[in-house]
Amino acid sequence: MSVIPATSFQMGQTIDYGYGEIDGPRHEVIFRQDFALARTEVTVGEFRKFVATTGHESGGDCNVYTDTRSWHVDPTRSWENPGFEQDENHPVVCVSWDDAVAYANWLSEQTGIAYRLPSEAEWEYVASTGGIEGDNGIVDHDEANIGLDPCCGGKTSGRDVWIKTAPVASFAADRYGIYDMRGNVWEWQADCHQDMYEGAPVDGSARTDCETPDKRSIRGGSYGDAGDYLSPRYRLPGPRSQGYFTVGFRLARTINEN
């Protein structure tokens, strides 16, 4: 993991992506403790070890996007069979928020270190200050595994030779030594999802008081996205009990926690 020193930044921005303004108001977040973020997304091999050790059963509801331009649950898809080829070093997908939290809790028990999902504030700070990807969200295919612009679908170009997921750390790290903050797969956040930031924590912690607590935030874009979807401020909601063939996760932890 990479340690991110305690700091402050201006989070959020009122953005109109064509269907109304979201994500405002801009507000200051002050991190009073260092935190650490995993350098890579959790891989198929790592998640497989968790399942083999614990017998954990994923919910099995994996959402896919079809040629009809609609999302739906495909009962034949799972983290073991997302519908495309992956090896053990690819980021695991088709895992729900609940699966991700279960993995973090298991790893915490195994290591004695309190792992968790990152808060949206932690993720946005790292993604917007890492210095390797454009702040407007447009990422070059030589810098990240991304897709078509406009949305949606996989694309190969330059260093990006993967239509679907790429092995983690296939592209250059940001200035913190962290890989794939944007592109490859979207990432579950600890926060419940609220359209606007009124009432959001200002200490960098995850939001837990939402009107729809069963919806959790997802960030980062994927192998099938480009353009605004890759903005460090762009976010989407997802039902906590379902997975997507474009969504995985990475872990975080608090440093010097009392």
Side-chain angles (χ1 to χ4, degrees):
M1 306 188 89
S2 291
V3 175
I4 312 300
T7 186
S8 64
F9 83 115
Q10 293 294 316
M11 180 180 180
Q13 182 174 328
T14 301
I15 303 171
D16 190 339
Y17 289 107
Y19 50 85
E21 293 183 346
I22 62 170
D23 292 351
R26 197 170 178 85
H27 58 288
E28 185 179 31
V29 172
I30 300 174
F31 300 102
R32 301 197 181 281
Q33 290 181 297
D34 299 352
F35 65 93
L37 197 62
R39 293 183 177 179
T40 68
E41 295 145 339
V42 172
T43 65
V44 172
E46 289 167 337
F47 195 79
R48 191 185 309 280
K49 182 177 180 180
F50 157 62
V51 170
T53 303
T54 65
H56 176 83
E57 294 186 7
S58 180
D61 291 336
C62 183
N63 288 274
V64 300
Y65 189 79
T66 65
D67 293 338
T68 61
R69 291 189 174 275
S70 64
W71 285 97
H72 66 276
V73 171
D74 184 339
T76 69
R77 306 289 184 97
S78 69
W79 71 268
E80 292 181 286
N81 177 30
F84 50 87
E85 186 176 349
Q86 290 187 302
D87 65 31
E88 300 295 271
N89 292 319
H90 282 235
V92 67
V93 294
C94 287
V95 289
S96 68
W97 185 89
D98 289 331
D99 292 330
V101 170
Y103 177 90
N105 290 341
W106 167 76
L107 190 62
S108 299
E109 292 173 358
Q110 295 293 305
T111 62
I113 298 171
Y115 292 106
R116 54 176 173 80
L117 293 179
S119 70
E120 287 197 80
E122 291 169 338
W123 194 97
E124 183 174 317
Y125 174 75
V126 172
S128 60
T129 60
I132 195 170
E133 300 159 345
D135 188 64
N136 65 352
I138 305 297
V139 179
D140 189 273
H141 283 266
D142 285 329
E143 294 182 344
N145 177 24
I146 61 176
L148 297 170
D149 186 13
C151 177
C152 298
K155 179 182 178 181
T156 60
S157 178
R159 188 172 179 176
D160 178 7
V161 297
W162 298 274
I163 289 290
K164 303 294 187 182
T165 56
V168 298
S170 292
F171 297 85
D174 66 13
R175 70 184 183 92
Y176 301 112
I178 297 174
Y179 299 89
D180 301 321
M181 283 295 288
R182 283 181 275 170
N184 213 10
V185 295
W186 294 85
E187 299 175 11
W188 286 112
Q189 309 296 295
D191 306 60
C192 58
H193 185 275
Q194 191 90 353
D195 284 345
M196 305 296 285
Y197 283 125
E198 287 95 345
V202 295
D203 61 356
S205 62
R207 184 168 193 161
T208 58
D209 59 335
C210 296
E211 295 174 0
T212 54
D214 61 321
K215 296 291 180 68
R216 297 287 157 162
S217 289
I218 303 169
R219 286 180 177 254
S222 76
Y223 58 81
D225 303 295
D228 288 337
Y229 291 98
L230 301 173
S231 166
R233 305 191 189 280
Y234 192 83
R235 51 208 280 273
L236 290 172
R240 60 179 291 172
S241 61
Q242 296 181 8
Y244 293 80
F245 75 156
T246 53
V247 179
F249 67 101
R250 77 174 70 225
L251 298 180
R253 66 184 180 93
T254 302
I255 305 296
N256 298 328
E257 188 171 24
N258 293 326

